[in-house]
Amino acid sequence: METKKIAIVGAGISGLVACKYTLSKGLHPIVFESQTGIGGVWTKTVETTKLQTPRPAYQFSDFPWPDSVTEDYPHAHQVLEYVESYARHFDLLKHIKFGTRVLSIGYDGPPGEVMQSWSLWGSDGRPFGSGRKWKIRVQDCLSLETETYEVHFVILCVGRFSGVPNIPEFPPNRGPEAFHGKVIHSMDYAAMDYQAAREFVRGKRVVVVGLQKSALDIAMECSAVNGVERPCTVLYKTEHWSMPDYHPWGVPLGFLYLNRFAELLVHKPREGLLLSLLAMLLLPLRWAMSKFIEIDIKRKLPLKKFGMVPKHGFLQEISSCTITKVPEKFYDRAEEGSIILKKAPAFTFWKNGISIDGEVKPLNSDLVILATGFRGKKKLIDVFESQLFQDCLSGSPNSIVPLYRGCINPWIPQLAVIGFSESIMNLHTSEMRCKWLAELLAGTFKLPPIKKMEEDIEEWDKYIKRYSGEYYRRSCIGALHIWYCDQLCRDMGWNPKRKKGFFAELFEPYGPTDYVSP
């Protein structure tokens, strides 16, 4: 029997675990990576970047952190070394084609109108179509020569935090072109070596646009270089419940939100009448838990003093995966004046800086760094040659990206997406999805009819919109991670209950090591 070839696009975290678990099923993975090394987003970070997920929650289930790493939040270079050691340990590097950019993927199969008449994914619900393959057109990044590979299945692990920067739209002649200074995206800053980055911002009046992790890290670096003489202004649109630590009032956050009891407090996709009633009855407790954390954050950080108290509750923060750990001494820098926090619902550029809507006096600056995220969806869909497949993956403008179990689009055969929808434990989530996908590829189970998959996607869409608010496009499963993993476990034939004893099952936090084996 012919060994099935699997194309994996990207050698970040998701690509590596996809490679490992497809190998475990006797398949032949080929990983295409445009960079010269593995690690994805961890290969290019700003100097002060640290892991913002506690180390035990950010690890491979069967490959623990080395004893030499003792910090709760390791530095970026330690994370990269850990990921590289994982790849070496499981001998994954020989399956990676470095310096190879995927230009496009095309499906060699029946016409679109035939596929749209299918009631089962790929016509029969199985991962490999008879005689049907994907053609992967790639380019060598040095020689620029192109080559086409034929494979039986494609796994897109392109992520959503790199590649295509999200640049805000501005009125004509009021965008970066009107500014006489320099405008860059945070990805450009992160691409510099550390010394070059310091010299780049030195002596400049810097404005950082954004309030998520990259924005806070860059602002800290600018303030360290320029001090109060040239303060760094952080321009933000919406306040967030950024946390000083993950121990509100001394209680580990996992005991409040990463256990089964916490998930009883929210409405879940396909939960049934009993669980729905229970979530309604526990509404006061859900509110109280959110307030418990919010009060602790306001106690530890001077949010009120700087007008930084969010209008939404903490539950929305964790449900939308916008939770961020504040860099140490960030508000000390704000107190001393080397960081200035300024709210700007909207702004435009003028020759000497930025004009904020509603303010008469413009903000003079020399350098603007847009820490405004990435257009992950565009990067995901642009790789397809087929407009039909692009439309299928785009979905409705007012819905999440339509992926069953966060991996499979019902209308695109022989393809999976890993690492696009988010959680607050992204490594763990990607690994669970790759275990699930490997079992699907091995024939352990079949997918349900397309109609059933679409209904499930719609239920998750409703849940995400309900609890994530305007950030629903992040497709975050953060507050329902155990419920989500339960579904994957049932599909694979695993027991979803991973703890010993009733109280442990209900109240102990779940993490990667709970899923090390079936």
Side-chain angles (χ1 to χ4, degrees):
M1 180 180 291
E2 179 184 12
T3 301
K4 301 297 185 183
K5 293 181 180 179
I6 313 296
I8 300 172
V9 183
I13 298 293
S14 298
L16 293 175
V17 287
C19 181
K20 187 227 176 185
Y21 285 103
T22 51
L23 279 170
S24 72
K25 298 301 179 181
L27 302 169
H28 180 199
I30 308 170
V31 184
F32 299 104
E33 172 54 55
S34 61
Q35 303 298 318
T36 56
I38 63 173
V41 296
W42 293 108
T43 62
K44 294 179 180 179
T45 65
V46 302
E47 185 174 6
T48 56
T49 296
K50 290 187 174 183
L51 189 66
Q52 64 172 355
T53 304
R55 175 170 44 84
Y58 194 91
Q59 68 176 346
F60 301 99
S61 63
D62 56 355
F63 190 75
W65 283 83
D67 294 338
S68 58
V69 179
T70 58
E71 300 91 336
D72 287 336
Y73 306 98
H75 188 275
H77 73 81
Q78 294 174 299
V79 179
L80 183 57
E81 289 170 359
Y82 172 59
V83 173
E84 290 173 339
S85 63
Y86 173 85
R88 290 193 298 270
H89 179 79
F90 291 106
D91 200 18
L92 304 180
L93 296 177
K94 65 183 180 183
H95 301 282
I96 304 173
K97 292 187 176 295
F98 292 107
T100 305
R101 185 185 309 279
V102 173
L103 299 176
S104 64
I105 62 174
Y107 187 61
D108 186 9
E113 58 269 20
V114 173
M115 289 190 284
Q116 289 182 305
S117 69
W118 290 344
S119 60
L120 294 173
W121 180 60
S123 77
D124 60 3
R126 299 184 185 278
F128 302 112
S130 177
R132 302 194 294 267
K133 295 182 179 181
W134 284 93
K135 292 184 177 180
I136 316 297
R137 191 165 67 91
V138 304
Q139 182 181 58
D140 185 288
C141 293
L142 291 178
S143 69
L144 301 184
E145 293 181 357
T146 61
E147 187 176 357
T148 299
Y149 291 79
E150 286 193 350
V151 299
H152 300 90
F153 198 93
V154 173
I155 308 175
L156 295 178
C157 302
V158 296
R160 62 183 303 159
F161 300 113
S162 63
V164 183
N166 177 43
I167 305 298
E169 295 184 359
F170 299 95
N173 303 316
R174 299 302 303 275
E177 72 280 357
F179 181 43
H180 290 180
K182 186 81 172 175
V183 180
I184 66 170
H185 190 268
S186 57
M187 66 179 283
D188 303 312
Y189 180 88
M192 302 178 191
D193 66 60
Y194 297 156
Q195 181 61 34
R198 287 193 293 270
E199 293 306 316
F200 182 68
V201 301
R202 189 180 302 280
K204 293 184 175 71
R205 296 168 297 179
V206 182
V207 174
V208 177
V209 180
L211 201 62
Q212 290 293 291
K213 180 171 174 54
S214 293
L216 302 185
D217 285 345
I218 294 172
M220 286 291 286
E221 293 192 6
C222 292
S223 69
V225 171
N226 292 324
V228 295
E229 293 78 15
R230 289 283 190 275
C232 175
T233 300
V234 176
L235 216 60
Y236 65 93
K237 183 178 180 180
T238 305
E239 301 86 357
H240 289 282
W241 290 108
S242 300
M243 302 188 72
D245 55 60
Y246 293 120
H247 290 79
W249 301 99
V251 181
L253 187 65
F255 284 94
L256 298 173
Y257 276 103
L258 302 179
N259 57 61
R260 289 192 181 277
F261 180 76
E263 295 192 359
L264 292 176
L265 308 184
V266 298
H267 292 281
K268 296 166 282 295
R270 299 181 176 277
E271 62 187 352
L273 180 60
L274 181 60
L275 289 177
S276 178
L277 289 173
L278 189 58
M280 291 176 61
L281 292 172
L282 294 175
L283 174 61
L285 182 57
R286 184 171 78 216
W287 177 86
M289 280 179 58
S290 189
K291 290 301 176 186
F292 178 79
I293 296 176
E294 293 166 24
I295 293 171
D296 179 72
I297 295 174
K298 289 188 287 186
R299 178 176 67 96
K300 294 174 178 174
L301 300 177
L303 299 186
K304 188 174 182 181
K305 177 178 180 178
F306 290 98
M308 298 287 290
V309 178
K311 295 179 175 60
H312 58 271
F314 183 79
L315 177 60
Q316 177 177 310
E317 205 76 65
I318 198 168
S319 297
S320 58
C321 293
T322 53
I323 185 172
T324 300
K325 186 176 181 294
V326 180
E328 189 177 355
K329 299 188 183 215
F330 180 84
Y331 280 96
D332 290 348
R333 300 279 179 89
E335 294 272 8
E336 73 181 17
S338 61
I339 289 179
I340 297 173
L341 299 165
K342 195 170 188 61
K343 185 167 184 175
F347 70 92
T348 54
F349 285 90
W350 71 300
K351 65 178 182 178
N352 291 328
I354 283 176
S355 177
I356 299 172
D357 284 14
E359 294 192 8
V360 176
K361 186 178 179 180
L363 181 61
N364 294 329
S365 59
D366 305 305
L367 170 64
V368 177
I369 302 177
L370 301 173
T372 47
F374 296 85
R375 299 178 65 187
K377 184 175 178 180
K378 177 175 173 56
K379 182 173 63 170
L380 185 65
I381 66 176
D382 280 357
V383 72
F384 289 93
E385 293 178 357
S386 165
Q387 183 63 49
L388 172 63
F389 288 165
Q390 289 186 10
D391 294 341
C392 288
L393 206 51
S394 293
S396 164
N398 300 314
S399 67
I400 61 173
V401 172
L403 294 171
Y404 177 71
R405 298 290 193 254
C407 304
I408 301 290
N409 182 275
W411 295 104
I412 305 180
Q414 296 167 240
L415 179 135
V417 177
I418 302 291
F420 184 80
S421 59
E422 295 182 61
S423 77
I424 56 175
M425 296 185 287
N426 282 325
L427 187 155
H428 174 34
T429 308
S430 287
E431 186 177 31
M432 283 300 297
R433 285 171 174 162
C434 287
K435 290 181 178 183
W436 177 88
L437 179 59
E439 296 297 338
L440 174 65
L441 297 177
T444 303
F445 64 94
K446 289 177 61 176
L447 296 179
I450 288 175
K451 182 176 174 52
K452 294 291 185 183
M453 287 196 284
E454 289 182 322
E455 291 173 354
D456 189 83
I457 292 169
E458 185 177 350
E459 287 297 309
W460 276 96
D461 183 69
K462 291 177 182 176
Y463 157 75
I464 289 171
K465 287 178 178 175
R466 181 173 191 167
Y467 291 105
S468 296
E470 63 181 294
Y471 298 100
Y472 70 89
R473 295 186 189 279
R474 299 173 72 104
S475 303
C476 176
I477 60 167
L480 275 190
H481 200 271
I482 302 172
W483 178 264
Y484 170 78
C485 287
D486 285 353
Q487 296 179 332
L488 301 186
C489 287
R490 293 189 184 99
D491 290 343
M492 295 186 289
W494 294 16
N495 180 4
K497 303 291 181 66
R498 318 299 293 180
K499 301 288 189 182
K500 294 181 179 179
F502 174 79
F503 288 101
E505 187 63 56
L506 194 59
F507 295 108
E508 282 188 9
Y510 262 71
T513 55
D514 291 307
Y515 298 91
V516 66
S517 63

